[in-house]
Amino acid sequence: GAGVSQSPSNKVTEKGKDVELRCDPISGHTALYWYRQRLGQGLEFLIYFQGNSAPDKSGLPSDRFSAERTGESVSTLTIQRTQQEDSAVYLCASSLSRREANYGYTFGSGTRLTVV
Amino acid sequence: GQNIDQPTEMTATEGAIVQINCTYQTSGFNGLFWYQQHAGEAPTFLSYNVLDGLEEKGRFSSFLSRSKGYSYLLLKELQMKDSASYLCAVRDGLKGIFGKGTRLHILP
């Protein structure tokens, strides 16, 4: 696609429920990233994919968080047993590979998750 | 550890020049990026530096000193639409590590 697409744009869920967030990167972008941004805060790294592999999962806050990517395309971020502190905007970004490192990330518009 | 520092807020006047500083300490370095983020929107890419020196792009310029772990973003001829947060990010391998951002307020 022309840009990075994320769905849903907004999600309100009850504490304890599971949620699944989706990201469609730019076609041909081999690298895909998930970040979390709490209100008024900076971007917190969660995980990135190179192709379908996740070389760095160090940012996942707990084992309630998981992510996968298939076909070097769509990625889903799953949060199990959501807690109120999970409320944030979840941003997905994609980029070309290391060889084209001077390209920045292209971000999606994000999913605003509210846990009530 | 990984640390990126930038001022929380700055104020400048329309038509003026402003410099936003960023210092970093990261385990790896594959380039430094600046992004602009308007309230409620996703960040958009502004600039990239991997070698020391100044990169100019229209009204925006970005400078890097790797030995000092320092960068700045220079915005000239400020316009009201430049009111936004400016995020400094260091690429460590393929992973981007972001600072908390500098909120820039432009006064008429």
Side-chain angles (χ1 to χ4, degrees), chain B residues 16-30:
Chain B
I17 299 173
V18 71
Q19 177 174 312
I20 303 174
N21 295 326
C22 170
T23 57
Y24 64 89
Q25 290 174 303
T26 56
S27 52
F29 182 85
N30 293 99

Side-chain angles (χ1 to χ4, degrees), chain B residues 32-52:
Chain B
L32 186 141
F33 296 84
W34 284 94
Y35 289 82
Q36 181 189 60
Q37 186 177 27
H38 284 102
E41 297 182 12
T44 55
F45 169 72
L46 287 179
S47 69
Y48 169 79
N49 294 69
V50 68
L51 300 176
D52 290 352

